[in-house]
Structures are given as C-alpha cells and as structure tokens.
Amino acid sequence: MTRRSSLAGLVLIAVAFAGGIATVAGPATAEIAPNPNVVVITLDHAGFQDVLGDARAAALASFGGAALVSQRVPFESAIRSVFGLSSRPFGHRNAGSVAGVSGGTDRQKLDDIFARFGRSLRVMGSTPVVVIFVSTSPSDAEIRGGDELGAVVMGTGPADEIARALGSPPSAPEARALTSDSTRRDGAVTSSDIAVTLAHLSGTTVSASVDGSEIRTTYAPAPFDLYQRYRDQRRLTVPIGVATAIYGAIAGLFGLAVALLGTRVSERIRTAAAWGAISIIPLGLALLEVGRFPRLTYGVVAAFLVGVTVVGASASMAIARRHGAVRAIVALGSAVLVVLAVEAAQDWPGAITPLLGGSQLDGGRFFGLPNAFIGLVLGAAVFAALGPRRIALGAALVFGAGLIVGSPWAGSDFGGAITLSAAAGLWWGLRARVSTIRATLSTGAAAVAGAAIVLVMQRYLASTPTHITHLAEGTGHPGGILGTIGERLRIGAKLVLTHPFAVIPVAGVPVALWIVLRPRGTLRSVLGSDPALTAALITVLVGSLVAYAVNDTGASALGLGFASAVSALLFVYLLRAGQTVVST
C-alpha cells in the first residue's frame, strides 16, 4: 500500500510539472498596442471597490481592464527606477487625495476628476490614446480593515470615444481584468508593471534590474471577487492564526505530557493524545487549501478546517491500528503530497489567500509555493519517502519534489528547492548509513545540484521571468548567492526579534533534533527499532534549519517542518504499545 501511494505521489508530481508548463501562458490575452499618446492620472485614498464602484471608471475599464495593484514598491519609486529623474515621455496628472471626512473616499471628488478628464479628452478628437488611471493607496477606512492594495484602470482607444463613455457611462459596462507576467494572476499587477508598461508605450529601454512586466488585458472579468476574498483573508488571518496556534500548542503539550506520564495514563487518553498530535499535519494543509473558497467567512473557514483535521487525523489512526503508526505516517505524507501536487498543477489557487502566511497579492511573489508551506512539503515528501524499500527511490522522490518547488512553472521557490534537495541528500546518507562526513557531503552536493538545476531552468527554460530569474542572471543581490543567504539570515533574525513567539519553532528545532539524536528510556527503544523513522525525523528537522537559512521569512519557513517532525514523533511514541514498529 505504501509503495503504491508513494509512486502515486511521484506520478502526480510529474503531472504537476507538466501542468505547470502548460499553464505558463495563462489565459487568452489581448496585447495593448504601443501608443505615444499616453496619459497617467494618479490619486490617493481610493481602494479598488471605491474606484470601480464609479460608473465612469468601469466605463474606462471597458476599453481595457482593471486590476489590483501591489504597493510593495511605491508607485513613484517604480517610475523613478525606469525613467530616473529626467523628463517623462507621458502625460501625468496628479489629482491628489480623494479622502472623505469619515476616512472613506469622497465620491464627489472622484466624479469631478473623471468629469475634468473627460472634457480634456474631447478636445483630442479621434486621436488614439492610452489612459492609465492609478490609485496609489486605499482609503484610511480600508487600510484599517487590512487593505494594502492600490487600483489601476487602463483603457486604450480613440479619445473622443472614451470621452463619450465617461460622459454617459453604460449601465453595465463590461470591465475586464488586467494581468502581467509578474503576477500571472488575472486582476493583479504591480506598481513596477505599470512603470514597465509606460516604458513600452513610450519606447523607453528598461534596465534588466527592474522587476516588472508589461500589462495586458485578459478575457476574465474585473477582479471584484478576488478583492473581496483578499479582504476576507486580511480580516481572518490573525484570529484564525491565533486559534490554530493555540490548538497546536495544546495538542503538542498534551501529547508531551501523556508521553512523559507513560503507563500512568489509560490507553484511551494515550490514543486521544496521539490523535491530537498527528492532527497538526492535516490542519497545516487545510490552512492552505481553505484559500480556494470564493468567500472566507468564519462559518466556512471553521467548518473546513475542522473537517479536514478530523478526517486526516482519524484516517491516520485507522491506518495505524491496522498497519502500524509508521505506515500511517507514510500514508498521511503521501496524501498530503498528492494534494500539493494537484495544487501545483492548478497554479496554487489556494496560495492566493491562505490563512497561514500572507496573501500573494501583498508581496513580490504572486505565484508558486508560499514560504510558509515549505515545511509542509518537506515533511510530506520525507514521510512519503519512508514507503519505498529502495533508498534511492525515496531520495529521488524528495529531490524531485525540490525541483518542482523551484521550477518556474509550478513552484518558483528557490529556498524551498534548496531545502528539499539538501533533504534528499541527507536522507540518502542517513538511510545508507554512511559516515557523518559522507552524509554531510551528500547533503551539500544534493543542495548544490538542486540549486544549479533550478537556476538553469529559471535562466534558460522559463518563457516568462520570475523573481528567481534576476538571481540566475546575476542581477539580484550584489553579493551573489552568498550575499543573498546572508541577507536572508539577517531578515530572519529581525523577524524573530519583531515577533517573539517565532522563537518557539526556531528554538524548538535544535531541541527536538537533540532528543532524536540522543533518545532516552522508552524513546530509545522506539527509535532504535526503526532507523528509517529516525532518519526521517532527522531529515525533516535538519531540513527545517536549512529552510530557515535560505529563505527570507525565517521562522515561517521552518514552522510547519518543526510541527510535522514533532507530530510524527509523538504519534509513533504514543502508539507504541500493542503495535509493531515497522522497519523499512
């Protein structure tokens, strides 16, 4: 059963890889033709819904489209990175703030801006124009609700036709979504994309160091639903995150307490503690997959998280009763890996608005595996690798997962690729029982090989650039890869200082690793009877340390790896009575 589930994981990973390649081109799009008559209008304090709620903005979008705008790079900074401080080859009108007295958007001010602009267009006659209407910040009320996105509306066509539409907007204009190769998401662009698009329209050369792509129109509707889901995610992330963290802490501490009490507790309590321990893994998966729902409400989220957690933990317990705890871990890891492979094949729809980590709409990476779930992939791949009898097949499974995670088509996570590649080398070394020096060398060699393959894919095989492409082309951190790793370690340490609770997984990984390497009492007999399980736990824990070192999110990158290893350790230990620990 375990070999079949592991092979199924390999097949679905291959499908994800092929599916990712097939979806690079994304939905059908219509290119915006270059046009020297370009006008940019900027304003402040109006969110996407405020802007597109105006019939005139919707009418303008019917000539092109609309999108949410990531403000990671401020709009003016993005413009300067392309055009410098010299004169800009496009018309720019700064309309200022449209903030209302209550913290919202003043609708009258917004109407006046469109009215004045419509009048200026009419005098241009049938001259072709490109209009880019940008709100560089949401209203104060929306900022208090967690919104950090701007909005852009883009239209191209004869000036007089756009003016007529603005003067008498249709009752239900067909507003479509904009996108770019930077985001690969319908209805989402970046401020750098706007700057690069302006450069394209004006014939300006763009430096290779600029992280942006041209904006294009899709046939998808304007992203009202995506914006609402984003607002839901921003509203629920903190309370749901706190609730799941409390549950995880209670389940872990309860399992640890029962394990320390040993035979002084009943079998029923031991079983309940084991159930709680292993439930952390399906809960981590549910926090990703819940992002697929079109609306995130407390009722929907709670029902989904509880349902996935209960089903996953209960299924693991059922398998453990029939086949042993270790085989249950193999089955759970394989199942999680299969779900993640399907997620990757579908371009990670759950990762847009997960409830662990941030929304992809906020940051510089809008597609692929979020750093917060690297530990989940690591744990699932290593536990699935327990299934095959051949050590090389298990190592290939973990290494293959790393290539998928780092590929420009299905993962685009360089740190995750290094993490899983290193884990594959360590897994082989531990399972082959080679010397410590050889195991270390195999770990380093696998990490270097995985990184090299990913960089080659990003540099030469990707049809569209990703954030890793700049590193592959040498336009990333001035210190190269070593400089990048050093910078990420600095950021990781800063995040721990900023968020003190992040100390728990960061400090917990070396403690758990010490316990596994130097087991005592009953734990020594449990781990000693199954060296494969011991190797898996060490691989996940060491891999979590690698994830911390090579990712710029620090504790977030190792959190689920730590949780997976501790959950599996407690699960097997608590169920040791009456079960034969299966050595693979």
Side-chain angles (χ1 to χ4, degrees):
M1 177 191 71
T2 55
R3 288 198 298 273
R4 287 198 300 269
S5 59
S6 299
L7 289 174
L10 277 172
V11 171
L12 275 169
I13 286 176
V15 171
F17 195 81
I21 296 175
T23 57
V24 167
T29 59
E31 295 292 338
I32 299 173
N35 193 310
N37 298 306
V38 181
V39 179
V40 179
I41 303 171
T42 57
L43 53 83
D44 302 315
H45 302 113
F48 178 83
Q49 204 137 5
D50 293 321
V51 173
L52 268 295
D54 189 293
R56 301 184 189 195
L60 176 60
S62 67
F63 286 84
L68 303 165
V69 181
S70 167
Q71 304 287 10
R72 184 173 185 177
V73 178
F75 179 76
E76 188 58 35
S77 298
I79 295 295
R80 283 199 301 269
S81 69
V82 173
F83 298 98
L85 299 176
S86 60
S87 59
R88 297 167 184 178
F90 55 86
H92 182 204
R93 303 179 185 180
N94 186 356
S97 174
V98 292
V101 292
S102 62
T105 298
D106 189 319
R107 308 295 308 181
Q108 185 58 51
K109 291 181 180 178
L110 199 57
D111 287 342
D112 290 343
I113 292 171
F114 277 109
R116 291 196 302 270
F117 180 59
R119 288 193 293 270
S120 65
L121 284 177
R122 278 194 291 271
V123 302
M124 298 176 67
S126 60
T127 302
V129 296
V130 177
V131 180
I132 302 178
F133 187 92
V134 183
S135 174
T136 60
S137 64
S139 68
D140 291 340
E142 290 172 315
I143 291 174
R144 288 194 294 270
D147 188 359
E148 297 180 359
L149 303 178
V152 60
V153 182
M154 191 169 182
T156 180
D160 52 357
E161 288 187 18
I162 296 177
R164 282 194 295 272
L166 294 179
S168 301
S171 56
E174 182 184 355
R176 293 179 292 175
L178 301 173
T179 190
S180 74
D181 289 338
S182 297
T183 67
R184 302 186 192 175
R185 302 290 188 192
D186 291 342
V189 301
T190 71
S191 52
S192 295
D193 292 338
I194 299 174
V196 170
T197 301
L198 289 170
H200 166 70
L201 293 170
S202 60
T204 303
T205 301
V206 180
S207 169
S209 62
V210 176
D211 188 10
S213 303
E214 295 173 27
I215 296 173
R216 60 183 185 272
T217 302
T218 74
Y219 296 113
F224 289 101
D225 292 341
L226 179 61
Y227 178 70
Q228 183 58 58
R229 183 154 53 111
Y230 166 78
R231 292 294 303 273
D232 292 342
Q233 188 262 356
R234 299 291 288 178
R235 178 170 54 90
L236 295 181
T237 294
V238 172
I240 295 298
V242 171
T244 54
I246 291 174
Y247 171 78
I250 292 174
L253 292 174
F254 178 54
L256 179 61
V258 172
L260 292 175
L261 289 172
T263 57
R264 286 173 286 180
V265 298
S266 67
E267 186 65 25
R268 180 174 296 180
I269 293 178
R270 184 182 297 279
T271 300
W275 189 99
I278 203 63
S279 70
I280 301 302
I281 296 177
L283 175 59
L285 179 64
L287 290 170
L288 170 65
E289 291 300 300
V290 73
R292 286 173 168 265
F293 283 93
R295 285 298 309 271
L296 299 176
T297 64
Y298 279 107
V300 169
V301 169
F304 183 76
L305 295 183
V306 171
V308 172
T309 302
V310 169
V311 170
S314 299
S316 299
M317 291 295 298
I319 295 172
R321 291 189 186 99
R322 295 190 60 185
H323 304 284
V326 174
R327 291 190 181 274
I329 291 173
V330 175
L332 180 59
S334 300
V336 171
L337 201 60
V338 166
V339 174
L340 292 173
V342 173
E343 182 79 13
Q346 296 180 347
D347 204 17
W348 300 94
I352 303 177
T353 52
L355 290 182
L356 179 65
S359 167
Q360 289 187 341
L361 299 176
D362 290 324
R365 186 151 59 87
F366 296 81
F367 53 90
L369 173 70
N371 285 349
F373 294 94
I374 290 175
L376 185 65
V377 181
L378 172 65
V382 173
F383 295 154
L386 276 166
R389 292 181 180 177
R390 296 183 61 183
I391 298 172
L393 184 57
L397 174 64
V398 180
F399 191 80
L403 295 184
I404 297 300
V405 162
S407 75
W409 310 292
S412 195
D413 193 315
F414 189 49
I418 296 175
T419 298
L420 284 152
S421 298
L426 179 59
W427 169 255
W428 179 86
L430 293 174
R431 292 289 285 118
R433 301 187 182 183
V434 300
S435 65
T436 302
I437 294 177
R438 289 186 63 189
T440 303
L441 290 175
S442 68
T443 302
V448 171
I453 293 172
V454 167
L455 288 177
V456 168
M457 287 193 293
Q458 294 281 348
R459 177 65 178 86
Y460 298 106
L461 302 181
S463 59
T464 56
T466 72
H467 65 294
I468 306 176
T469 307
H470 293 284
L471 178 63
E473 294 175 343
T475 57
H477 193 280
I481 293 178
L482 291 179
T484 300
I485 292 176
E487 178 66 13
R488 291 183 172 188
L489 285 172
R490 185 192 67 80
I491 295 173
K494 183 179 179 180
L495 289 173
V496 169
L497 294 175
T498 306
H499 302 89
F501 284 107
V503 173
I504 296 175
V506 173
V509 169
V511 171
L513 187 58
W514 175 261
I515 291 173
V516 174
L517 291 171
R518 296 288 186 270
R520 297 182 179 182
T522 308
L523 181 60
R524 177 183 296 177
S525 63
V526 171
L527 296 180
S529 62
D530 194 339
L533 173 63
T534 304
L537 295 174
I538 294 172
T539 299
V540 175
L541 290 169
V542 173
S544 298
L545 294 176
V546 174
Y548 180 87
V550 299
N551 288 282
D552 58 4
T553 51
S556 174
L558 65 73
L560 284 179
F562 168 69
S564 297
V566 172
S567 296
L569 176 61
L570 287 173
F571 181 70
V572 174
Y573 182 80
L574 291 167
L575 293 181
R576 75 191 186 283
Q579 289 188 352
T580 301
V581 180
V582 180
S583 177
T584 56

